[in-house]
Amino acid sequence: MKNIDGEFVPAYLNIDSEVEKMILDSGYYMYPNALKNELSKLHNVHVTTLDPVKITKSQKSAEKSSTITQKEYFEADIENAKANIKLLESTGKLNDENLEKCKKFSKRADRDFYAMFMKLYMYLETDTLLDLLWEIRTKNRKAFKTVNNAIIFWSLDDNHSFKNDISSSLIPNNIYSSNELDRIITPIIQYHFFKTLKPRVSISLLRSFYKVDRTKVSTVNPNAPSNPIAYNKYKVIGSNPMGLSIHKVRISQDENLIGLLLL
């Protein structure tokens, strides 16, 4: 396109401008050292900061009274990431390239949020995925493993060999001990992933694939018949424990799951 001087210059779409502004607002301008560090890196020079502005006692008091907690900062960062993702989706620019740009200029909290979203957004519609990731925002990596594995297993083509091996080995509404479930799951995991899981990990993995109720079953204690022994048992109720409903992309029956499922 031509500028006001009649010279040909690059034409920028509005969305490009919005993405650039989003990166500036959530990256360079939000955090004190971000702009200084980026200028130093780009121009290979040492960029110094200005001397801090002197703050009066009344200003310090007002600042102290309005200080927000670390948790509120953390959640504000994630809310900002959610807003950026929704903007990208609404403008048809939700893709790995733009998400990577957003992640690059983020703090740790929302950078991790972007990374988790990028791993799963092609399989599940955006609002549901954002809600699931928001629910586990303060939890550890184990919580994300559960969400990830639930979505991946649900997204598998119904004819995928791993999905068939798991489902054909379980009897709906049957009651299993932890050892019985481990004996079912372990050889399937070994075959598909070349790994051996600890029994408790096997149960945790199964619970991301299926709704499993924990119950106690009593048996006669031979040493004290009047005091039966109660054992923990598991009843497999059905698939899709998170109640997911809208597929975006199904994982092909020929897809290798190493790296998709988190073990």
Side-chain angles (χ1 to χ4, degrees), residues 78-122:
I78 295 179
E79 288 283 14
N80 182 64
K82 289 173 62 179
N84 290 344
I85 288 168
K86 288 186 175 183
L87 173 62
L88 290 174
E89 182 177 52
S90 67
T91 52
K93 293 290 183 177
L94 185 61
N95 55 48
D96 285 355
E97 182 181 358
N98 286 327
L99 287 169
E100 193 62 49
K101 287 179 183 178
C102 293
K103 187 177 75 168
K104 179 181 178 181
F105 299 103
S106 302
K107 287 185 71 175
R108 180 176 177 179
D110 44 338
R111 185 165 63 244
D112 289 345
F113 193 86
Y114 281 121
M116 292 187 292
F117 181 84
M118 288 177 69
K119 193 172 189 310
L120 297 168
Y121 79 99
M122 67 285 294

Side-chain angles (χ1 to χ4, degrees), residues 44-258:
N44 196 26
V45 295
H46 176 66
V47 180
T48 59
T49 56
L50 296 174
D51 293 333
V53 178
K54 292 184 178 180
I55 302 175
T56 65
K57 288 184 178 180
S58 61
Q59 288 174 319
K60 287 182 179 179
S61 177
E63 182 180 345
K64 185 176 180 181
S65 64
S66 63
T67 298
I68 63 175
T69 66
Q70 184 176 358
K71 179 184 177 183
E72 289 171 321
Y73 271 121
F74 174 84
E75 294 193 342
D77 287 338
I78 295 179
E79 288 283 14
N80 182 64
K82 289 173 62 179
N84 290 344
I85 288 168
K86 288 186 175 183
L87 173 62
L88 290 174
E89 182 177 52
S90 67
T91 52
K93 293 290 183 177
L94 185 61
N95 55 48
D96 285 355
E97 182 181 358
N98 286 327
L99 287 169
E100 193 62 49
K101 287 179 183 178
C102 293
K103 187 177 75 168
K104 179 181 178 181
F105 299 103
S106 302
K107 287 185 71 175
R108 180 176 177 179
D110 44 338
R111 185 165 63 244
D112 289 345
F113 193 86
Y114 281 121
M116 292 187 292
F117 181 84
M118 288 177 69
K119 193 172 189 310
L120 297 168
Y121 79 99
M122 67 285 294
Y123 307 116
L124 182 63
E125 56 93 16
T126 298
D127 286 341
T128 300
L129 179 55
L130 290 176
D131 288 344
L132 288 172
L133 295 179
W134 175 259
E135 287 176 9
I136 62 170
R137 65 193 181 281
T138 59
K139 298 180 181 177
N140 58 24
R141 298 297 294 180
K142 182 180 177 182
F144 175 65
K145 278 187 176 183
T146 299
V147 171
N148 178 86
N149 293 340
I151 292 173
I152 294 299
F153 190 78
W154 169 76
S155 299
L156 292 178
D157 185 280
D158 292 335
N159 293 319
H160 195 286
S161 58
F162 177 73
K163 196 169 195 175
N164 280 334
D165 288 346
I166 293 286
S167 61
S168 63
S169 301
L170 297 170
I171 301 173
N173 297 314
N174 199 33
I175 295 176
Y176 298 91
S177 68
S178 58
N179 288 335
E180 288 170 334
L181 287 176
D182 185 55
R183 284 197 295 270
I184 291 171
I185 297 169
T186 293
I188 298 174
I189 296 298
Q190 288 176 334
Y191 177 79
H192 288 275
F193 299 94
F194 313 105
K195 294 185 68 172
T196 300
L197 303 181
K198 295 179 179 179
R200 61 179 178 80
V201 179
S202 296
I203 303 300
S204 178
L205 182 63
L206 178 66
R207 298 185 85 157
S208 66
F209 300 160
Y210 290 90
K211 178 174 173 56
V212 177
D213 283 349
R214 192 170 181 173
T215 184
K216 287 186 179 293
V217 175
S218 298
T219 61
V220 175
N221 182 349
N223 298 318
S226 59
N227 295 314
I229 302 174
Y231 293 96
N232 286 325
K233 299 280 187 175
Y234 301 88
K235 179 187 286 189
V236 179
I237 305 300
S239 60
N240 191 15
M242 292 188 176
L244 308 175
S245 60
I246 303 176
H247 287 288
K248 287 173 72 175
V249 172
R250 301 296 295 271
I251 299 173
S252 164
Q253 62 184 22
D254 302 317
E255 186 80 21
N256 188 317
L257 299 185
I258 294 177

